[in-house]
């Protein structure tokens, strides 16, 4: 209404920069830097998605429970209350249980040639699509599905992302072109309300579930050197879109390999080293362990800022993890041996990442067969300094590769050390 007001639209993300004398108004800044006052009751605080309960895309799926257990769960009766369980009589099939007019009906969901069906007329790719279909229309069932009976200990991921302000609107997202292939789906460049964004598109329901965890970790983190989550779209049919800031220069390892020594100077290498260290010190301070730190998981922005990404394995410090999928050459001996992941195991990986940076993207432990890496490392073997690597930087690598985790430096200490190297120009 006045010059001081900041115009805003539904879905905008604003930063509150101050209060005013009137508690009903905030001073705020929008994404293009314009400042002004906004009415406090028009905005919702965006919060980290933290839940003691499991975030699920299929909270109505109860796994292997019996017919009787299902009937107890759907009591007291409420028409349209439903759940899905694994079929006890037909292993591999599922059963849709729906309450209707005081009775529970059980429909067999047949798994046939990779598709699911109840009536052998309409077929679905997955349970989410099936539930979505019968939520819209009874289509021969006793009632349409109205309310999910939630599995104990789970919450609907969709609901939690909307409540915490992280759900984006699919209609406002334009997918433009594929820029990368992740393990489980394409990474695309897109446009969200005029901002260039990167979008991880995960199609399959089972995989989407795993990425929900990655997205919820990302809602809790905010740092210039971490790839920023912008929001999440959970489609009813089971696709998941994770929208992050767009990193124009791609992964650090490709950046180093494609440009090489002749283009990238020592000042640039030490800057990347510092950028990653800043991000890791932030994770350290907040008790997050990354577990998959490597140059392939660091991205470079248009203005050459390195940012850590791929929080797929990132967890609060206390949790454990299965070791089968770990990148051997980046993972510390104690993490490989005893699953002991900690900030200190991230420090080990950081040392390997430093080696990657100063060798312009070479694969670590060159000429050593993969099976020999762990036994040699356990005996105290350390890689040589890459050609032209400043002594002060190689010294840091070696500190990171101390076999005893407790003796490795913290990221906070590494930051100070790197600052000294910068100040004394020991990086050239
Ligand atoms: P990821 O599955 O996260 O390892 O991503 C696969 C590839 O997609 C990366 O190596 C990058 O080349 C690209 N990519 C991922 N995220 C982004 C992003 N935020 N901005 C630009 N490119 C990205």
């Amino acid at each position: 209404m006045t010059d001081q007001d900041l115009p805003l639209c539904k879905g905008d993300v604003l930063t509150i920069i101050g209060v005013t004398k009137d508690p009903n108004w905030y001073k705020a800044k929008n994404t293009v830097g314009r400042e002004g006052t906004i009415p406090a009751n028009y905005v919702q605080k965006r919060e980290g998605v933290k839940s003691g309960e499991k975030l699920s895309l299929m909270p109505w799926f109860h796994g292997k429970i019996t017919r009787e257990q299902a009937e107890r769960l759907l009591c007291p009766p409420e028409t349209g209350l439903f759940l899905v369980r694994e079929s006890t009589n037909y292993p591999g099939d599922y059963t849709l249980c729906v309450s209707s007019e005081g009775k529970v009906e059980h429909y067999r969901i047949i798994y046939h040639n990779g598709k699911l069906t109840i009536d052998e007329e309409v077929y679905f790719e997955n349970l989410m699509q099936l539930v979505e279909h019968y939520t819209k229309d009874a289509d021969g069932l006793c009632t349409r599905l109205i309310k999910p009976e939630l599995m104990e200990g789970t919450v609907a991921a969709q609901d939690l992302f909307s409540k915490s302000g992280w759900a984006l609107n699919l209609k406002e997202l334009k997918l433009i072109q594929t820029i990368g292939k992740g393990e489980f789906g394409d990474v695309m460049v897109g446009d969200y309300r005029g901002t260039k964004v990167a979008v991880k598109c995960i199609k399959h329901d089972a995989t989407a579930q795993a990425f929900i965890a990655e997205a919820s970790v990302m809602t809790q983190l905010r740092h210039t050197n971490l790839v920023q989550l912008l929001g999440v779209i959970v489609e009813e049919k089971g696709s998941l879109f994770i929208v992050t800031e767009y990193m124009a220069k791609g992964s650090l390892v490709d950046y180093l390999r494609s440009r090489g020594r002749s283009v990238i100077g020592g000042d640039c290498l030490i800057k990347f080293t510092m950028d990653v260290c800043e991000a890791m010190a932030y994770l350290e301070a907040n008790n997050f362990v990354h577990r998959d730190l490597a140059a392939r998981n660091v991205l470079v922005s248009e203005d050459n800022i390195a940012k850590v990404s791929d929080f797929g394995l990132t967890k609060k410090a206390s949790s454990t993890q299965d070791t089968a999928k770990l990148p051997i050459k980046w993972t510390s001996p104690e993490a490989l041996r005893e699953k002991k992941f900690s900030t200190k195991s991230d420090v080990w990986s950081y040392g390997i990442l430093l080696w990657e940076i100063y060798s312009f993207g070479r694969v670590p432990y060159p000429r050593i067969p993969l099976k020999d890496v762990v036994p040699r490392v356990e005996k105290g073997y350390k890689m040589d300094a890459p050609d032209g690597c400043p002594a002060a930087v190689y010294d840091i690598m070696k500190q990171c590769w101390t076999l005893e985790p407790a003796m490795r430096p913290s990221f906070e200490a590494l930051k100070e050390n790197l600052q000294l190297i910068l100040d004394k120009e020991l990086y050239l």
Side-chain angles (χ1 to χ4, degrees):
M1 308 239 273
T2 73
D3 284 353
Q4 284 91 45
D5 290 342
L6 179 67
L8 54 93
C9 295
K10 182 172 194 284
D12 283 355
V13 177
L14 307 168
T15 307
I16 307 297
I17 52 174
V19 289
T20 63
K21 281 195 203 99
D22 183 344
N24 298 316
W25 295 84
Y26 294 142
K27 278 208 187 81
K29 187 161 95 180
N30 67 15
T31 42
V32 292
R34 181 163 170 193
E35 297 179 4
T37 48
I38 57 160
N41 61 340
Y42 275 55
V43 292
Q44 174 203 13
K45 186 175 172 212
R46 191 176 242 201
E47 284 175 296
V49 174
K50 254 191 253 174
S51 167
E53 292 165 315
K54 184 167 177 261
L55 284 179
S56 176
L57 289 171
M58 308 195 294
W60 33 258
F61 182 65
H62 289 245
K64 232 186 174 79
I65 57 166
T66 62
R67 185 185 180 94
E68 291 72 30
Q69 285 172 315
E71 295 194 348
R72 273 199 295 278
L73 283 166
L74 296 177
C75 218
E78 184 181 332
T79 294
L81 188 65
F82 72 97
L83 62 83
V84 178
R85 61 183 170 93
E86 286 177 30
S87 167
T88 33
N89 296 335
Y90 304 93
D93 288 353
Y94 300 99
T95 308
L96 171 65
C97 313
V98 204
S99 175
S100 174
E101 294 176 8
K103 266 178 56 199
V104 176
E105 300 288 346
H106 300 259
Y107 297 93
R108 177 176 168 201
I109 305 171
I110 305 166
Y111 183 70
H112 185 68
N113 286 344
K115 298 220 165 161
L116 299 166
T117 183
I118 290 180
D119 55 11
E120 298 189 53
E121 279 176 26
V122 201
Y123 288 82
F124 305 94
E125 297 288 330
N126 57 50
L127 287 173
M128 271 181 271
Q129 289 182 10
L130 180 141
V131 165
E132 196 216 355
H133 177 82
Y134 291 106
T135 300
K136 291 203 175 118
D137 182 7
D139 195 13
L141 306 188
C142 57
T143 163
R144 79 180 178 87
L145 309 178
I146 299 170
K147 183 177 158 192
E149 170 61 36
L150 302 187
M151 166 106 156
E152 204 184 331
T154 64
V155 285
Q158 296 88 321
D159 294 352
L160 207 54
F161 283 120
S162 334
K163 266 191 223 145
S164 54
W166 288 95
L168 301 182
N169 187 347
L170 183 59
K171 290 197 190 86
E172 297 194 84
L173 177 67
K174 282 201 265 316
L175 294 173
I176 298 167
Q177 88 181 74
T178 305
I179 47 169
K181 291 249 180 267
E183 216 179 318
F184 300 109
D186 291 348
V187 180
M188 300 191 69
V189 60
D191 177 289
Y192 191 79
R193 311 181 60 175
T195 304
K196 208 169 180 183
V197 294
V199 188
K200 227 178 230 188
C201 313
I202 301 125
K203 294 244 156 59
H204 193 270
D205 53 345
T207 353
Q209 180 62 49
F211 280 91
I212 289 282
E214 171 166 357
S216 69
V217 165
M218 290 177 85
T219 64
Q220 299 171 51
L221 306 170
R222 188 170 201 93
H223 189 275
T224 347
N225 299 109
L226 293 177
V227 173
Q228 181 61 47
L229 177 74
L230 301 174
V232 179
I233 299 166
V234 186
E235 221 199 350
E236 280 169 7
K237 289 192 174 76
S239 293
L240 175 68
F241 301 93
I242 299 180
V243 184
T244 64
E245 67 177 305
Y246 175 65
M247 301 290 287
K249 294 188 177 160
S251 92
L252 178 60
V253 72
D254 295 337
Y255 183 96
L256 295 164
R257 284 177 190 165
S258 61
R259 290 165 180 80
R261 204 176 291 276
S262 52
V263 181
I264 309 175
D267 50 342
C268 188
L269 297 181
I270 197 77
K271 167 75 169 37
F272 288 148
T273 302
M274 191 61 161
D275 283 348
V276 176
C277 194
E278 298 263 6
M280 295 311 295
Y282 168 82
L283 292 183
E284 173 178 78
N286 288 283
N287 258 314
F288 279 94
V289 181
H290 189 286
R291 296 167 185 240
D292 196 10
L293 183 60
R296 64 180 171 279
N297 290 335
V298 174
L299 299 172
V300 183
S301 72
E302 180 61 41
D303 44 359
N304 289 327
I305 300 173
K307 305 193 184 206
V308 175
S309 92
D310 268 284
F311 304 95
L313 298 177
T314 305
K315 299 211 170 99
K316 268 290 187 190
S318 57
S319 45
T320 56
Q321 115 134 45
D322 104 62
T323 40
K325 289 181 287 186
L326 294 172
I328 303 266
K329 291 181 172 181
W330 280 264
T331 309
S332 71
E334 79 280 0
L336 287 173
R337 207 173 44 231
E338 304 154 60
K339 304 187 186 177
K340 275 196 185 145
F341 286 89
S342 63
T343 298
K344 297 295 190 191
S345 54
D346 278 350
V347 170
W348 179 285
S349 313
Y350 180 74
I352 305 285
L353 167 66
L354 272 187
W355 188 93
E356 291 183 275
I357 293 178
Y358 280 86
S359 62
F360 295 88
R362 284 186 81 184
V363 177
Y365 303 101
R367 290 184 294 276
I368 302 181
L370 188 63
K371 67 172 180 28
D372 296 342
V373 171
V374 179
R376 288 187 64 173
V377 167
E378 295 253 11
K379 282 198 200 100
Y381 172 79
K382 292 182 175 58
M383 283 188 278
D384 290 337
D387 280 349
C389 175
V393 174
Y394 183 53
D395 199 49
I396 293 187
M397 286 182 212
K398 284 190 293 188
Q399 288 176 37
C400 294
W401 302 330
T402 309
L403 284 175
E404 172 54 44
M407 301 297 283
R408 290 171 209 153
S410 65
F411 283 110
E412 200 50 48
L414 286 174
K415 233 170 78 179
E416 281 171 30
N417 205 334
L418 285 170
Q419 193 56 53
L420 260 152
I421 295 178
L422 268 168
D423 294 345
K424 294 190 178 162
E425 298 194 350
L426 297 172
Y427 55 86
L428 298 168

